[in-house]
């Protein structure tokens, strides 16, 4: 395994720099295309390696967030949603960690924050350019408007 990983370590700093640049362009564009979006910030002193972008639309309930994941998927934008009743792939929360005992009641703020949190992977985007992220943000913004518009019907 080390023989496979070791050559990848040589380019890791460059990848992290690209992910962070992509994240900055994406989140700036998301705020422009969808001002109601919430993007968590990290604690001071944290040096991020932003291999994904997490965001939420606080005005959306679980049904609307599920609809948003479908709308984004129809546009080719795959996101993971932490608020799903059941875990999917690597997207799980304290509510799903049965091996650790029931923790959701002890961590209500964590559960609440994760309920609407979406995760957009960036680890595969090293060859993308800034315009790709502006387009991605436009798709997210349009999907949010479509879901919000259908909720008003």
């Amino acid at each position: 395994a080390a023989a496979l990983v070791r050559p990848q370590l040589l380019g890791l700093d460059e990848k992290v720099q690209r992910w962070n640049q992509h994240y900055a362009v994406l989140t700036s564009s998301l705020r422009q295309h969808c001002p109601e979006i919430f993007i968590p910030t990290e604690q001071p002193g944290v040096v991020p390696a932003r291999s994904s972008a997490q965001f939420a639309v606080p005005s959306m309930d679980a049904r609307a967030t599920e609809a948003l994941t479908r709308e984004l998927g129809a546009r080719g934008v795959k996101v993971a949603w932490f608020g799903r009743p059941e875990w999917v792939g690597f997207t799980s929360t304290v509510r799903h960690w049965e091996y650790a005992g029931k923790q959701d009641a002890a961590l209500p703020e964590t559960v609440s924050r994760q309920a609407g949190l979406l995760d957009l992977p960036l680890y595969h985007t090293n060859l993308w350019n800034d315009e790709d992220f502006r387009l991605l943000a436009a798709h997210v913004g349009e999907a949010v408007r479509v879901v919000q518009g259908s909720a008003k019907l």
Side-chain angles (χ1 to χ4, degrees):
L4 295 174
V5 173
R6 192 173 182 149
Q8 295 179 47
L9 292 176
L10 296 174
L12 187 58
D13 288 340
E14 183 181 323
K15 282 185 178 183
V16 169
Q17 183 179 4
R18 293 281 293 163
W19 289 334
N20 290 347
Q21 175 190 342
H22 294 159
Y23 178 91
V25 172
L26 176 64
T27 55
S28 173
S29 296
L30 280 171
R31 287 182 179 105
Q32 178 184 1
H33 287 282
C34 192
E36 65 271 27
I37 219 164
F38 167 75
I39 300 167
T41 57
E42 62 273 328
Q43 295 295 315
V46 171
V47 179
R50 293 185 169 115
S51 60
S52 70
Q54 295 181 347
F55 66 93
V57 183
S59 62
M60 290 188 175
D61 62 10
R63 280 182 53 187
T65 303
E66 177 67 36
L68 179 59
T69 65
R70 286 192 306 272
E71 182 66 29
L72 288 167
R75 295 166 182 271
V77 179
K78 305 296 184 203
V79 295
W81 174 33
F82 289 96
R84 290 189 189 282
E86 300 296 327
W87 63 271
V88 176
F90 294 106
T91 308
S92 66
T93 68
V94 296
R95 293 185 357 250
H96 307 117
W97 301 343
E98 294 174 10
Y99 62 86
K102 286 288 185 189
Q103 296 183 29
D104 50 342
L107 301 167
E109 188 174 334
T110 299
V111 171
S112 175
R113 287 178 186 257
Q114 292 174 334
L117 194 62
L118 298 164
D119 186 82
L120 180 59
L122 301 177
Y123 53 82
H124 62 287
T125 62
N126 265 355
L127 299 178
W128 294 15
N129 62 47
D130 290 354
E131 192 54 39
D132 294 323
F133 292 94
R134 290 184 192 98
L135 179 61
L136 180 57
H139 280 297
V140 172
E142 182 59 28
V144 168
R145 285 187 290 283
V146 165
V147 171
Q148 288 176 331
S150 66
K152 295 176 183 175
L153 297 178

